Every structure is written in structure tokens, then in C-alpha cells.
Amino acid sequence: MTEKIIILDFGSQVTQLIGRRLRELNVYCEIFPFNKVPALDGSVKGVILSGSPCSVRDADAPQIDLDGIKGRYPLLGICYGAQYLAHKFGGQVEGSIAREYGRATLEVNEPSSPLFREVAPRSQVWMSHGDTISALPAGARVIASTESVANAAFSFEGEPTFAVQFHPEVFHTTEGSRILGNFAFRICGCAGDWTPDSFIETTVDSLRKTIGDDKVILGLSGGVDSTVAGVLLNKAIGHNLTCIFVNNGLLRKNEYEDVLASYRDMNLNVIGADASEDFLRELSGVTEPEAKRKIIGRLFIETFDKYARGIEGARWLAQGTIYPDVIESAGIGNIASKIKSHHNVGGLPEKMNLKIVEPLKMLFKDEVRRVGRALGIKEELVGRHPFPGPSLAVRIIGDVTKEKLDVLREADDIFIKGLRSYDCSALHFPSASDPRREADNLYDAIWQAGVILLPVKSVGVMGDERTYENPVALRAVVSTDAMTADWFHLPYDFLAQVSNDIINKVKGVNRVVYDISSKPPATIEWE
């Protein structure tokens, strides 16, 4: 039985970061809505209460029964969770006394507290609260403060219950990982033995027991999630797995042929389904982004279903669903502010009448990559950037034609190859702990990159002749989960070289611009 920490989500947009930080420490955890608390058994080592956009003073504030948790399991309240513990057990929470948003300096009052063992006496933390705890409950004592907030952290006497008004999970809290590690290891007693190898071993065993000798169908996209799911299933059930890789005619340059060859080199039983002409025909003249998405989604289902029906005895449909999709699908009413919607293919389970298997549904994206590397998948596949489900159709603003696709593919190929070949070892990143510092090239330092073909024309001059051709926009962002993203500061010399290469080598393009919009307010893709 895998030991775990349960995180109860009150609607904070950074709740997933708590899980990510714990898993980086090789501690398994699961996130549940506060109103769907699971049965707690012997595998549960501790419980964390997340932050929330709500105030505990509101009449409709989210409530939770802690009778079976507090005092029985190690408990950590974060931000709203801390205020709820204070409010629920006799303390006082007030508004507009000492609001704090952003960086603050934490002073540890009680360094002997297991939560702050080996934590610096003074360190930067990240605050985000309008309410503050003005009085602690009976039996609680303050263990850390900031200049504005006396009760920035507290604990309950005689029980492993702790609370912090700041967010240890966010990057800006410099000792955050140590604080969460202290909770997991010193207070909860976790072993920290949840690794990619252990995940592979337990998942393969579970898949074999669940699926038996049944046949499974998996739709491959060339992306990280479906690739890792395919290799994991192949390890468990071998050629009882059949993969289908659909060519929608909207993929990047040589992608269909190259990825299909890579899959076959990995000994996957894969069928190539080339439906490119069907997709281009039905997209002809369609300019509205949502209409394009619906056409592509419908045709994918029809193509996948056509090839899947030729596989006799299939009982299961495998999907590369990952944990952020599962968490968002669970929902917690109207409390959380939804930032993005997913564009997973819909309709397949109902149409095909197959049972669903999702071997990666408890993993974050970075964990999927770690598992992929442990499985021996080539870095060019496991390290690939996310790619939109509708493919290049949402990077062509307006109607989609073969001619536009050819232009976009060539420009995109130059951009991506340039990112892969640029040595970024000399680049300056703001923090010594920034994971981008470990990247060998710009491609690996970036979350997602691509080129957008714009539906306008601009005047240019080439060889003393006037041109009137399309501009393209380069897009490169950094992110952890795509819910928020910031534009990447590409070096000027790189931008100059890529711009020159695209204009000189791609017929139909005479201007290159760089998109410096963050998400929000913009989105990563343009459509």
C-alpha cells in the first residue's frame, strides 16, 4: 500500500503546486475537493488544507468536518487552511487589519518546531491574504511571524497540527520545499520512496491485473503523455495493445513519418491512419476558431473509430489523461476560478462502448517525463513541447489551406531547430534554483514554442523589389502547468538569426515579430 499525504482543495489556484512540491520530494500525494474527503486509511500519513479565494468570515465559506482528522493525523493548514483552523477552534480572524500580498520576510520564533527545523531564521515567503489571524485558539502558540502578521505560523500543543498564513508551495517562498519536507518527513514520517521506478513497477502490475488478456486501443498523438502511456502499457500487456496514430494533415514538418518510425523502433504495435485529405477538405473556408476545433475533433473521432473497429476483441480504450485534467474535472462547485478549459477528445468512450484505462492519471506533466526517461524513451520524444490538439490549424489565423500549412511548417521548422541548436549555458536566469539553468539549449529551457501565420500582409523589399507577403509571429513561453505562462526572453542574437533565416528561406514571409504577451491576459495559442 503506497503511503500518501491527502491535500484538501478549497479552491486555490496554486493547490496543484502543493502536490508538485511534495512529489518533487518523492512523497506521493493526492488532491481532493474539500467537500469530497476520501476515506482515510492506514496509507494516509498526513493531511493538508489548501488556500482559497474565500474568506472564513463569509456566510457561505467552505466548511469541513475535521473531527476524524485533527489530532488523529498530522495536519497542515496553508493560508485559508490556517485561517480556518484558527476560526474553527476558537481563534479570531479579521479583515483589513494586516493584509499582505506578495513577498514578506518570515522570522522563525520557535526554531525547535519540527516544521521549521533547519529553516533559516529569516527568509522570504509569499503572502496572499486579505484576512489575518488576530488571535490564536486556546492551546495554540505562534511559531513564526512577519513584520505585519504576528501569527504567520502556529501549532497546537500536544498534537501534530500546524498552520502557516503564507504559501510554502510557491517558488517565491525560498524555504518552501524545506518546510513542506519537514511536514512530510519529520511530522508525517513519510519515507520519500515514491520514484519513477516504483511508479512503473506498481502501475505495470496493476495494469496486468486489471486488463488481463483483453485487448487495448490507444490513440497516439506524438506528444509526451500518449507516448509514455503507450510504452507503459506495452511493458504491461505487449502486443495486446494496438496504437493508432492519426495524420490529420495539420502536423509539423515530417512529423507524421518521423514519429511513426520512432514508435515502430520502440516496438509499439502502431497503425498509421492518414486522413489528411479529409481534414483539409472539411476545413476549407472555415475561419472561426471554435468551428475549426469542432471539425477537427469530429473527424478525429470518425477516423479513430474507423480504424479501431478493425481491431477484434478490443475491450479497453487507453487515454493519456494526466493529473491536472483529473483535478479540474473533479470540480469544487463555484469556488475555484477556472483559468483554462481542456480540449481532450470527447465522445470516444460512448461511441465505442469500451472501458477506460488511464495509466498516467495520477501524474503531473514533469512526472510523466521522469517516468518516460526511466522507461528509456528517447529524449526527443519525452522532452517534446506540448502541442495543441487541433495542431497547426490554431496557428493559422483564418482559413486553413495546404499552401498556408506549407509556409507555416517551414517557418516553424527553422524556429524549432534554432531553439534546439542554441547553447543557452551562458544565459542569465534570475534565480540559482531556476530549473531552466539546467537546460543545454533554448528548446529545453522553454515550456512551449511555435510560429503563428498571421492573416495580414505587409510591404517589404527583397533584392530591390517590393514584396507584399505575410508576417509570422514567434511564440515562446515558460510555465509549469500551462494554466499561467510568461513569455521567454529570447536572446537578441537568436531572434535576429531566426528572423533572417525565415525571411530568406520561406517564400511568402517577409516579416517576423515576437509575441511578448503573458497568460493571462493572453493565451499560449492564438486561437
Side-chain angles (χ1 to χ4, degrees):
M1 185 181 294
T2 302
E3 64 179 25
K4 59 191 172 188
I5 289 177
I6 297 297
I7 301 167
L8 299 179
D9 183 15
F10 288 89
S12 169
Q13 291 177 356
V14 293
T15 297
Q16 290 187 30
L17 287 180
I18 305 173
R20 291 173 62 87
R21 296 293 174 261
L22 287 172
R23 298 223 187 151
E24 287 169 0
L25 299 169
N26 295 332
V27 174
Y28 182 65
C29 59
E30 294 182 13
I31 301 173
F32 294 90
F34 76 94
N35 54 358
K36 297 178 183 177
V37 181
L40 304 184
D41 55 26
S43 68
V44 176
K45 305 292 285 185
V47 178
I48 294 177
L49 308 180
S50 84
S52 174
C54 302
S55 166
V56 296
R57 299 178 297 109
D58 294 342
D60 57 351
Q63 305 282 324
I64 185 173
D65 182 4
L66 294 173
D67 287 347
I69 299 175
K70 184 176 178 291
R72 182 179 173 189
Y73 292 90
L75 180 62
L76 174 63
I78 295 176
C79 197
Y80 178 91
Q83 293 168 0
Y84 185 79
L85 286 171
H87 176 76
K88 180 76 172 177
F89 295 98
Q92 190 168 0
V93 177
E94 299 184 32
S96 304
I97 292 179
R99 297 183 177 210
E100 277 195 325
Y101 294 97
R103 295 174 178 84
T105 299
L106 185 77
E107 294 197 21
V108 176
N109 302 341
E110 192 172 313
S112 62
S113 168
L115 191 66
F116 292 121
R117 198 72 58 85
E118 298 182 8
V119 170
R122 291 171 57 87
S123 64
Q124 176 182 287
V125 296
W126 187 262
M127 292 284 191
S128 181
H129 60 91
D131 292 345
T132 194
I133 299 167
S134 56
L136 295 179
R141 68 181 188 276
V142 63
I143 57 176
S145 306
T146 70
E147 184 178 354
S148 302
V149 178
N151 302 311
F154 61 94
S155 63
F156 283 79
E157 299 278 1
E159 63 180 76
T161 300
F162 300 83
V164 296
Q165 284 207 76
F166 57 90
H167 286 273
E169 69 273 26
V170 303
F171 178 76
H172 301 292
T173 298
T174 54
E175 297 271 20
S177 289
R178 189 179 297 278
I179 293 168
L180 289 173
N182 282 340
F183 179 71
F185 300 127
R186 298 180 186 273
I187 298 168
C188 297
C190 293
D193 57 2
W194 192 71
T195 64
D197 287 335
S198 68
F199 171 82
I200 292 168
E201 182 180 348
T202 56
T203 302
V204 166
D205 182 62
S206 175
L207 288 170
R208 286 172 178 162
K209 290 177 180 176
T210 302
I211 296 170
D213 292 328
D214 290 349
K215 291 186 177 180
V216 180
I217 304 172
L218 169 67
L220 291 172
S221 67
V224 179
D225 302 335
S226 68
T227 299
V228 174
V231 174
L232 200 57
L233 281 159
N234 189 55
K235 187 177 179 68
I237 63 173
H239 272 53
N240 274 345
L241 170 69
T242 300
C243 304
I244 300 173
F245 182 31
V246 175
N247 181 14
N248 57 18
L250 308 168
L251 303 176
R252 288 165 287 199
K253 185 177 180 180
N254 300 326
E255 184 170 25
Y256 177 63
E257 296 80 9
D258 292 347
V259 173
L260 193 59
S262 294
Y263 283 147
R264 287 171 175 159
D265 287 344
M266 293 156 58
N267 201 33
L268 288 178
N269 180 23
V270 58
I271 297 172
D274 189 351
S276 52
E277 292 185 4
D278 296 334
F279 281 81
L280 286 175
R281 182 176 59 253
E282 296 220 20
L283 285 170
S284 178
V286 179
T287 59
E288 205 277 320
E290 195 60 28
K292 289 196 280 189
R293 289 179 179 272
K294 288 180 178 178
I295 289 170
I296 293 165
R298 173 177 58 80
L299 285 176
F300 177 86
I301 292 171
E302 292 174 0
T303 304
F304 188 92
D305 185 50
K306 171 185 172 183
Y307 282 84
R309 289 185 182 279
I311 303 168
E312 294 184 7
R315 298 286 180 269
W316 296 83
L317 175 69
Q319 295 182 331
T321 309
I322 62 174
Y323 202 31
D325 304 334
V326 174
I327 295 168
E328 291 192 8
S329 297
I332 51 175
N334 296 319
I335 293 174
S337 300
K338 194 170 182 64
I339 296 178
K340 74 168 183 175
S341 60
H342 291 279
H343 302 284
N344 295 335
V345 175
L348 284 175
E350 296 80 2
K351 186 177 181 68
M352 300 178 69
N353 195 30
L354 298 174
K355 293 182 284 186
I356 304 300
V357 58
E358 299 168 312
L360 306 179
K361 68 179 181 180
M362 300 310 294
L363 299 185
F364 291 102
K365 176 72 78 173
D366 52 341
E367 293 170 333
V368 174
R369 289 195 167 99
R370 290 172 63 198
V371 168
R373 293 183 180 105
L375 286 166
I377 299 174
K378 293 186 294 185
E379 188 62 31
E380 53 261 39
L381 284 174
V382 79
R384 283 166 66 101
H385 289 174
F387 190 58
S391 307
L392 296 181
V394 292
R395 293 181 180 175
I396 294 176
I397 311 304
D399 65 321
V400 179
T401 66
K402 183 180 182 304
E403 292 71 26
K404 290 180 180 179
L405 283 165
D406 288 341
V407 170
L408 181 55
R409 285 192 183 103
E410 292 300 326
D412 183 80
D413 188 57
I414 291 171
F415 183 39
I416 298 302
K417 284 181 177 177
L419 292 172
R420 289 189 182 277
S421 63
Y422 190 97
D423 180 2
C424 66
S425 58
L427 295 184
H428 172 72
F429 294 108
S431 168
S433 60
D434 192 321
R436 292 175 292 172
R437 290 172 64 95
E438 300 176 6
D440 294 326
N441 55 69
L442 283 175
Y443 185 89
D444 292 340
I446 291 168
W447 167 269
Q448 189 169 342
V451 178
I452 299 91
L453 182 63
L454 303 182
V456 295
K457 291 195 174 186
S458 70
V459 173
V461 178
M462 291 185 183
D464 294 327
E465 292 185 4
R466 177 185 183 275
T467 63
Y468 191 54
E469 296 176 333
N470 290 94
V472 295
L474 309 182
R475 184 77 161 132
V477 299
V478 287
S479 180
T480 55
D481 52 19
M483 296 185 73
T484 60
D486 197 8
W487 62 279
F488 188 87
H489 292 231
L490 287 172
Y492 288 154
D493 62 328
F494 172 81
L495 286 170
Q497 184 63 54
V498 166
S499 174
N500 188 64
D501 287 347
I502 289 175
I503 291 171
N504 285 337
K505 297 176 182 179
V506 182
K507 187 176 181 180
V509 175
N510 68 353
R511 191 179 298 270
V512 175
V513 299
Y514 186 44
D515 182 350
I516 58 170
S517 309
S518 296
K519 176 185 180 180
T523 54
I524 296 176
E525 300 295 341
W526 279 43
E527 286 195 343

